[in-house]
């Protein structure tokens, strides 16, 4: 959000930090007052952008165009209590989707543990650009500054050692992580990035804009295909951005010169010296970290953070809210699989608690936004729904194995879920937390 003292917050972010907002109406079920995450509070006021997501130049949140705050407040005041306030999507928005339909799970080979033929991998699922079949990526061997020594290439896993399940490629380096590491996953992660950036109107919440402009060292843990890293590198050319990920899904050639990527499992420890980075960013890797591993991972992130530097985390809440009956059933199946693997389905809600265990941190702030899914919620709703579709398809192979469900049954259930999203106005919560490392006393 850049300079938090002078720049207003985006209307698409929750204005409360640390303490969650209070009830503003009486829900029909009084027992729901006990859980602040199931409140049906008004969602962000959004203005559609004529059927497409406009790329923003700035990474820090800023005020969106559209009606004045007074007009937005008036619209919220006239809305039915508990009803989200959204500007209806234009006809062009409804008729033209920015992202094409996802490949059906049943289109993958279901009876083979070997890689499918190249022709079966050809697809088009663009997410602000075109996703193509990608050759097995090689690790970026760019030389890092001396303060960031990397482990040697013996830690890298050749592409042909990956595990194939129902036509999806998984990394053998982690038996916990539920998601694949193939071309479809690259597209999904790009879509998730654009969805969150649209929701908060920026790429980060921590007050690090000045450091980035002057030139800081940034670590992106779990960088995936590198969308966040490359955007930060492009906007702040004086800064050095380093991304690490379990899978080498990031670009190796076409990227900013101040951005490098390396394959590394955060559970093995970060290969960087103490106090190396001004800003450490990690989001959406909760499906790869078990409950008992979070403290060790965060201690390692704090270890490489410079005194006075900032750490920022973001994780989704696995539970979907205002879900229809079929959506709730399938959502609980995913949560069941997470529990069996000792993955915390509510990790987003507990980020504050985990960071609070780090004595080195201070100035902690937490917040969350609600991302609605469906045509009922305008452009953000379209992005969120497509993100859910890609996410549940990616989880399909492993979920079907655990709950003993056929792929056809799983896909039919998903179709009903997406229809229910509009009927019940389903939404999910995305949680953010950031804190500063104490200066030496």
């Amino acid at each position: 959000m850049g300079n938090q003292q002078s720049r207003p917050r985006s209307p698409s972010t929750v204005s409360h930090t640390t303490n969650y907002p209070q009830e503003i109406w009486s829900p029909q079920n009084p027992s729901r007052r006990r859980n602040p995450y199931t409140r049906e509070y008004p969602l962000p006021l959004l203005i559609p952008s004529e059927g497409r997501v406009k790329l923003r130049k700035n990474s820090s949140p800023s005020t969106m165009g559209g009606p004045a705050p007074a007009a937005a407040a008036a619209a919220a005041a006239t809305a039915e209590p508990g009803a989200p306030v959204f500007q209806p999507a234009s006809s062009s928005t409804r008729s033209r989707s920015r992202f094409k339909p996802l490949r059906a799970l049943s289109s993958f080979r279901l009876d083979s543990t070997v890689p499918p033929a190249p022709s079966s991998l050809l697809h088009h699922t663009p997410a602000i650009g075109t996703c193509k079949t990608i050759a097995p990526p090689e690790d970026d061997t760019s030389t890092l500054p001396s303060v960031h020594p990397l482990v040697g290439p013996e830690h890298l896993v050749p592409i042909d050692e990956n595990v194939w399940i129902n036509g999806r490629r998984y990394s053998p380096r982690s038996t916990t992580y539920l998601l694949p590491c193939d071309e479809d996953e690259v597209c999904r992660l790009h879509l998730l990035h654009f969805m969150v950036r649209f929701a908060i109107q920026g790429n980060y919440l921590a007050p690090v804009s000045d450091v980035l402009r002057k030139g800081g060292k940034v670590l992106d843990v779990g960088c995936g295909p590198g969308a966040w890293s490359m955007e930060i590198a492009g906007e702040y050319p004086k800064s050095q951005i380093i991304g690490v990920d379990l899978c080498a899904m990031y670009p190796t050639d076409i990227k900013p010169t101040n951005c490098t990527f390396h394959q590394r499992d955060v559970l093995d420890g970060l290969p960087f010296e103490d106090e190396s980075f001004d800003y450490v960013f990690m989001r959406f890797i909760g499906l790869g970290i078990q409950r008992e591993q979070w403290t060790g991972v965060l201690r390692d992130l704090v270890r490489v953070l410079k005194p006075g530097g900032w750490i920022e985390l973001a994780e989704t809440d696995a539970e979907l809210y205002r879900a229809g009956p079929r959506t709730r059933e399938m959502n609980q199946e995913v949560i069941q699989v997470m529990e069996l693997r000792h993955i915390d389905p509510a990790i987003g809600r507990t980020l504050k608690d985990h960071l609070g265990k780090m004595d080195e941190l201070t100035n902690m702030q937490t917040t969350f936004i609600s991302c609605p899914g469906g045509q009922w919620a305008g452009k953000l709703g379209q992005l969120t729904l497509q993100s859910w579709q890609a996410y549940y398809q990616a989880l399909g192979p492993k979920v079907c194995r655990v709950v003993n469900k056929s792929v056809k049954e799983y896909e039919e259930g998903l179709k009903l879920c997406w229809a229910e999203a509009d009927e019940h106005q389903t939404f999910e919560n995305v949680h953010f937390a950031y804190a500063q490392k104490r200066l030496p006393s």
Side-chain angles (χ1 to χ4, degrees):
M1 82 183 68
N3 188 339
Q4 298 183 8
Q5 301 301 322
S6 60
R7 177 175 292 177
R9 290 291 299 273
S10 164
S12 63
T13 60
V14 177
S15 59
H16 301 74
T17 56
T18 304
N19 295 318
Y20 294 108
Q22 300 296 317
E23 296 269 5
I24 60 175
W25 66 84
S26 297
Q28 295 180 355
N29 184 359
S31 65
R32 297 181 70 176
R33 288 177 176 272
R34 303 171 186 173
N35 188 342
Y37 304 103
T38 58
R39 291 176 292 106
E40 299 173 3
Y41 55 86
L43 299 173
L45 176 69
L46 294 178
I47 307 301
S49 55
E50 295 302 319
R52 68 179 186 274
V53 179
K54 295 180 180 179
L55 301 182
R56 298 186 69 258
K57 180 178 180 181
N58 296 324
S59 291
S60 55
S62 60
T63 303
M64 296 176 61
T78 58
E80 179 182 352
V85 181
F86 279 93
Q87 182 77 17
S90 64
S91 58
S92 61
T93 300
R94 295 190 184 97
S95 61
R96 180 177 58 179
S97 174
R98 183 63 176 173
F99 301 101
K100 295 182 181 179
L102 295 162
R103 187 158 54 127
L105 182 60
S106 57
S107 67
F108 294 100
R109 293 178 59 179
L110 306 176
D111 56 352
S112 175
T113 57
V114 297
S119 60
S120 67
L121 283 178
L122 293 176
H123 64 284
H124 298 282
T125 313
I128 308 299
T130 301
C131 290
K132 302 178 180 178
T133 300
I134 306 171
E138 298 178 359
D139 184 64
D140 188 343
T141 56
S142 303
T143 302
L144 287 171
S146 58
V147 296
H148 304 303
L150 275 174
V151 293
E154 66 273 8
H155 293 276
L156 304 181
V157 176
I159 198 70
D160 58 0
E161 290 186 17
N162 282 298
V163 177
W164 294 81
I165 303 175
N166 292 355
R168 301 300 299 267
R169 189 173 71 218
Y170 295 84
S171 172
R173 306 172 116 208
S174 174
T175 58
T176 301
Y177 195 54
L178 293 173
L179 294 168
C181 58
D182 52 18
E183 292 79 9
D184 286 271
E185 179 65 3
V186 169
C187 289
R188 185 193 73 83
L189 290 171
H190 278 300
L191 174 57
L192 178 61
H193 167 74
F194 292 124
M195 182 203 82
V196 174
R197 188 184 64 180
F198 186 82
I200 68 172
Q201 287 295 286
N203 274 325
Y204 56 86
L205 296 180
V208 294
S209 293
D210 289 342
V211 172
L212 296 177
R213 279 193 294 266
K214 295 176 182 178
K217 292 183 174 64
V218 180
L219 177 63
D220 182 8
V221 180
C223 63
W228 186 90
S229 295
M230 290 189 290
E231 285 191 9
I232 297 296
E235 184 176 348
Y236 301 102
K238 292 183 179 180
S239 290
Q240 179 188 11
I241 320 299
I242 298 173
V244 295
D245 198 275
L246 173 70
C247 304
M249 297 186 289
Y250 41 75
T252 57
D253 298 319
I254 303 177
K255 54 184 175 58
T257 56
N258 59 328
C259 182
T260 57
F261 297 106
H262 303 272
Q263 188 175 13
R264 180 69 177 180
D265 187 352
V266 66
L267 298 179
D268 294 335
L270 295 171
F272 306 109
E273 291 184 353
D274 297 353
E275 303 179 358
S276 301
F277 294 93
D278 300 284
Y279 179 37
V280 175
F281 182 83
M282 184 176 77
R283 68 177 181 182
F284 307 142
I285 68 168
L287 287 179
I289 302 178
Q290 296 178 331
R291 280 189 175 93
E292 63 274 13
Q293 295 172 325
W294 271 96
T295 299
V297 169
L298 293 181
R299 289 198 184 283
D300 206 27
L301 299 187
V302 173
R303 176 186 64 81
V304 301
L305 185 64
K306 294 180 180 179
W310 291 86
I311 179 174
E312 181 169 349
L313 310 175
E315 292 292 341
T316 58
D317 189 346
E319 182 179 358
L320 296 177
Y321 300 102
R322 287 207 306 242
R326 181 54 66 93
T327 304
R328 188 177 300 109
E329 175 187 334
M330 300 199 72
N331 185 220
Q332 287 302 314
E333 288 177 350
V334 171
I335 293 176
Q336 174 189 349
V337 173
M338 296 173 68
E339 292 282 7
L340 289 174
R341 292 175 178 259
H342 306 285
I343 296 172
D344 187 0
I347 184 59
R349 306 181 196 176
T350 59
L351 290 178
K352 178 181 178 181
D353 297 332
H354 286 292
L355 287 179
K357 298 176 183 178
M358 308 292 115
D359 296 335
E360 303 93 330
L361 299 180
T362 186
N363 297 329
M364 187 188 313
Q365 297 290 327
T366 61
T367 189
F368 70 100
I369 61 172
S370 288
C371 292
Q375 297 294 328
W376 67 277
K379 177 53 62 178
L380 178 57
Q382 296 174 40
L383 288 171
T384 303
L385 180 61
Q386 292 180 64
S387 178
W388 291 350
Q389 291 172 337
Y391 176 69
Y392 274 80
Q393 284 194 14
L395 289 171
K398 290 192 175 182
V399 171
C400 287
R401 281 189 167 192
V402 174
V403 302
N404 195 26
K405 178 180 289 189
S406 69
V407 171
K408 182 178 180 181
E409 182 183 1
Y410 185 81
E411 286 191 334
E412 291 300 322
L414 289 183
K415 291 178 182 179
L416 295 176
C417 291
W418 313 143
E420 287 181 345
D422 278 316
E423 179 183 356
H424 295 268
Q425 299 188 343
T426 307
F427 67 91
E428 71 174 348
N429 289 335
V430 182
H431 297 257
F432 302 84
Y434 56 92
Q436 187 177 28
K437 190 171 183 178
R438 298 180 188 274
L439 294 169
S441 56

